[in-house]
Amino acid sequence: ALSLLPFIVSIGSEISASLEFSKHPYPARKASVIREVPIMDLAYIECSPSSDSSLPTVLLIHGLDSSSHTWRSIQPLLPSRSVALDCRGCGRSPMGDVDDFTTENVVDDVKRLVESHRFLHGSDKKPFVLLGHSMGGRIAMSYAAKYPADVAALVIEDMDIRRRPVSSNFIPLVEHLALNFHREFESENAALKSFAEVGYPEYMVLRWIKEGRIYRKEPDQQESKLWSDVNPAFRLLCYRQFFDSDCGEKSWNALAANGKNPEQFPITLMVAGVGTVCDESSVDDMVELMGDKLTVNRYPQGKHSIHNTARESFMKDLVEIIENAAAKE
């Protein structure tokens, strides 16, 4: 088992929870996977509520240009245990061979974590609430379609099922640089330069530095090298595998077929009101296919990251989903 690094988070006087980080080393430039099936051991952040809870665990999957970092302010607010993972190539999870980056392997990375983590597998192996933001929503759909028995409720945050060609990526990535991107830097200027060469605008990288997506490996040492949780290769490969394919429609159709079973878990689609990536015609298709198994929640003031921009409404709805999933068990 991996050792954990504890980090205590207190919010106000009523909530106190412990964030624990899987002690993964920073991935090497060329991380090899020596096993017959190229499935990753993913890094993650786990969180336990300050009081005992019988509520289902929440498994959180981030989107593009992100990592488990996006959930750090959400996890301590949850009434249940939670696990936020770093997808392969993001955060502290290694990328492995880019040729092994397929929808099947990315989904089975998650399954490997589920089978090994005590919050998700456990002795009773209760179903968990699965929440995916943006690109993570595509991964969550694919996982729930393939492993429906694991899921107590599925939450898709601002993502639809329409096909998105690689050419629609608003960042014109230089392919060979993206696929061989090294995420360690000597300085902020070096990070800015490397991301600019790949195709990212400077304002995005400066925002990541401010937000903590790019940070010093040794926080207390001013001369420490920097590390990026963001990986251009993940963006490029996700466009190829999850977006520029029928992955979304296939997963949703499979979920809709499962929905004929009265024991099928409920699904919630959260749609941002400002700068949503959801195409309304695609949302209509999702509703038509899923019927009354799907609830669509809209957040008029929420931007694409609803959990960070409309947090109060987001948390109210998510807690209700968790509690309803517990009541159904």
Side-chain angles (χ1 to χ4, degrees):
L2 293 166
S3 59
L4 298 173
L5 298 176
F7 179 63
I8 305 302
V9 177
S10 297
I11 301 177
S13 58
E14 298 181 358
I15 299 174
S16 177
S18 174
L19 288 179
E20 293 189 331
F21 301 73
S22 58
K23 194 176 180 182
H24 274 60
Y26 291 97
R29 183 182 290 268
K30 292 292 184 182
S32 59
V33 184
I34 307 174
R35 61 174 73 95
E36 290 183 7
V37 180
I39 305 303
M40 289 294 159
D41 290 311
L42 300 179
Y44 57 85
I45 302 175
E46 66 180 48
C47 185
S48 300
S50 55
S51 58
D52 291 337
S53 174
S54 59
L55 297 171
T57 296
V58 181
L59 178 59
L60 302 153
I61 307 179
H62 63 81
L64 298 177
D65 300 331
S66 190
S67 70
S68 57
H69 180 276
T70 192
W71 304 110
R72 289 189 189 185
S73 60
I74 296 299
Q75 288 182 268
L77 300 176
L78 292 172
S80 58
R81 300 181 300 186
S82 63
V83 180
L85 59 82
D86 289 331
C87 294
R88 65 165 62 201
C90 303
R92 288 217 194 175
S93 293
M95 172 60 76
D97 192 327
V98 295
D99 291 335
D100 291 331
F101 194 103
T102 64
T103 54
E104 293 80 8
N105 285 343
V106 171
V107 167
D108 284 340
D109 289 344
V110 181
K111 182 62 172 177
R112 182 181 180 86
L113 176 62
V114 168
E115 292 294 336
S116 62
H117 198 288
R118 67 191 189 283
F119 287 2
L120 298 163
H121 185 72
S123 57
D124 49 8
K125 200 175 181 181
K126 290 183 179 179
F128 50 84
V129 174
L130 179 59
L131 193 167
H133 170 240
S134 192
M135 172 61 223
R138 286 286 176 100
I139 298 173
M141 292 178 206
S142 299
Y143 185 95
K146 186 172 183 179
Y147 301 109
D150 290 352
V151 180
L154 174 62
V155 184
I156 306 299
E157 182 185 350
D158 212 47
M159 178 48 59
D160 56 23
I161 59 173
R162 70 184 174 93
R163 191 183 192 115
R164 288 174 166 82
V166 173
S167 60
S168 70
N169 182 4
F170 74 96
I171 298 174
L173 295 174
V174 179
E175 180 176 325
H176 74 278
L177 295 179
L179 294 178
N180 293 282
F181 194 79
H182 187 43
R183 296 190 282 144
E184 183 180 73
F185 312 101
E186 295 289 341
S187 65
E188 290 184 3
N189 284 337
L192 288 166
K193 182 175 183 291
S194 292
F195 275 103
E197 290 173 345
V198 176
Y200 284 87
E202 182 178 276
Y203 77 88
M204 291 183 69
V205 185
L206 289 172
R207 187 179 77 236
W208 298 338
I209 293 171
K210 182 178 180 181
E211 292 174 349
R213 300 190 214 186
I214 299 175
Y215 51 89
R216 296 199 178 278
K217 295 173 72 172
E218 301 294 338
D220 299 330
Q221 299 181 20
Q222 193 63 26
E223 301 303 316
S224 170
K225 292 183 178 181
L226 277 68
W227 182 260
S228 173
D229 280 356
V230 177
N231 191 344
F234 182 74
R235 170 178 280 274
L236 177 61
L237 294 167
C238 281
Y239 260 88
R240 288 180 178 174
Q241 296 292 327
F242 285 92
F243 284 156
D244 199 355
S245 71
D246 60 357
C247 170
E249 291 183 2
K250 284 179 64 177
S251 296
W252 203 254
N253 280 319
L255 289 169
N258 289 338
K260 297 175 182 177
N261 182 341
E263 297 302 313
Q264 164 77 2
F265 49 80
I267 303 175
T268 301
L269 173 63
M270 297 178 164
V271 181
V274 182
T276 181
V277 304
C278 292
D279 180 87
E280 279 301 320
S281 64
S282 183
V283 172
D284 290 343
D285 290 342
M286 295 169 77
V287 172
E288 183 177 353
L289 285 166
M290 199 61 64
D292 59 6
K293 289 294 182 180
L294 176 65
T295 300
V296 180
N297 292 341
R298 295 182 181 272
Y299 303 82
Q301 306 305 315
K303 298 181 182 179
H304 179 51
S305 292
I306 301 168
H307 60 278
N308 286 324
T309 57
R311 184 169 301 164
E312 184 176 349
S313 299
F314 173 89
M315 288 303 305
K316 178 178 178 295
D317 291 341
L318 181 56
V319 169
E320 183 178 347
I321 290 167
I322 296 168
E323 291 175 343
N324 287 342
K328 190 177 177 182
E329 289 182 357

